[in-house]
């Protein structure tokens, strides 16, 4: 990490936790970690628990996010959730383009772009996820895939709109598999992403944009990942579901 960028530890709870379980977890987490001044903690529970989690989220440095949104402001879109609805629940972030949504629910670079733009318009910071599948890595196509996803998701945004955007690099082969990218593998792609962002939006955004790593982040690998200059935080699935492991991640050593 670079001390100029505030590290962000993001918990993606996916389809886990009832309202009662979510409240209990976030209350314990806040109690265990205490206030976070030099780092930010993002909790992204399922939609159903957003309100209850928002009501008990009091600790300094904690913020709330959703795992998805729709790009239209309102209308006949059964089962979808708008960015205004998320704002209404005190969300400040929304994850867009997670690989599970791309792979299982047909999201494309274009829908990710629409969602990111809708989030920014509503005053939410999108966490834009990108990442290559194993076959692409083995064919040597990682950078090509990442460049396409970054450009696809961010094209059309102004420098000003980019200011709040967070990018998450999550190699698909590392998500939920226990197989983490090595710090060097992750750093290589993060540096590449920063370079692409620089050529699209200029040096100020390059310097300020936060790029998270995701994919089997756990207490045993967080310090080494965070020691890399272009890794500014983590997007965490499995290890965010329990107080002990997520607390260790939040309290990583600078
Ligand atoms: P994982 O998930 O930490 O369980 O690998 C990460 C993610 O999908 O965001």
């Amino acid at each position: 990490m670079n001390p100029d960028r505030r590290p962000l530890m993001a918990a993606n709870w996916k389809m886990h936790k009832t309202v009662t379980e979510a409240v209990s977890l976030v209350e314990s987490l806040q109690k265990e970690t205490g206030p976070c001044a030099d780092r930010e903690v993002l909790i992204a529970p399922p939609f159903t628990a957003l309100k209850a989690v928002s009501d008990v989220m009091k600790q300094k440095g904690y913020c709330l996010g959703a795992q998805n949104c729709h790009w239209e402001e309102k209308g006949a879109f059964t089962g979808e959730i708008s960015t205004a609805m998320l704002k209404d629940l005190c969300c400040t972030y929304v994850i867009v383009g997670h690989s599970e949504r791309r792979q299982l629910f047909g999201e494309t670079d274009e829908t990710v772009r629409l969602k990111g733009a809708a989030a920014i318009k509503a005053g939410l910071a999108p966490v834009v996820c990108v990442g290559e599948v194993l076959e692409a890595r083995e064919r040597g196509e990682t950078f090509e895939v990442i460049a396409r996803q970054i450009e696809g998701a961010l094209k059309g945004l102004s420098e000003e709109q980019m200011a709040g955007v967070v990018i998450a690099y999550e190699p698909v082969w590392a998500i939920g598999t226990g197989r983490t990218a090595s710090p060097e593998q992750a750093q290589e792609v993060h540096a590449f992403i920063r370079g692409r962002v620089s050529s699209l939006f200029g040096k100020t955004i390059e310097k300020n944009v936060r790029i998270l790593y995701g994919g089997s982040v756990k207490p045993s690998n967080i310090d080494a990942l965070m020691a890399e200059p272009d890794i500014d935080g983590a997007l965490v699935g499995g290890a965010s579901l329990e107080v002990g492991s997520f607390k260790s991640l939040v309290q990583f050593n600078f």
Side-chain angles (χ1 to χ4, degrees), residues 1-6 130 143 146-147 150-151 154 162 165-167 169 186-213 228-233:
M1 57 162 289
N2 175 323
D4 291 344
R5 297 185 288 267
R6 190 176 178 200
V130 297
F143 294 132
I146 299 298
I150 288 287
E151 273 141 50
L154 304 179
M162 254 316 274
V165 173
V166 174
I167 297 171
Y169 168 58
Q187 166 58 26
E188 189 185 30
V189 180
H190 281 232
F192 174 77
I193 293 173
R194 205 175 290 287
R196 294 307 305 158
V197 167
S198 180
S199 49
L200 292 166
F201 301 102
K203 288 276 169 208
T204 308
I205 301 292
E206 172 192 348
K207 194 164 118 311
N208 295 335
V209 69
R210 288 183 295 178
I211 309 175
L212 314 182
Y213 169 78
E228 295 293 341
D230 288 301
I231 300 183
D232 307 309

Side-chain angles (χ1 to χ4, degrees), residues 12 14 98 100 170 174-176 215-217 235-238:
N12 173 13
K14 308 191 181 184
H98 189 279
E100 284 151 17
E170 299 203 299
I175 295 179
S216 298
V217 173
L235 180 54
V236 187

Side-chain angles (χ1 to χ4, degrees), residues 10-14 95 98-100 129 168 170-180 213-218 234-241 249:
N12 173 13
W13 288 354
K14 308 191 181 184
I95 299 169
H98 189 279
S99 69
E100 284 151 17
C129 303
E170 299 203 299
V172 179
W173 47 271
I175 295 179
T177 58
R179 189 178 159 192
T180 325
Y213 169 78
S216 298
V217 173
K218 38 190 183 254
L235 180 54
V236 187
S240 74
L241 296 171
L249 298 181

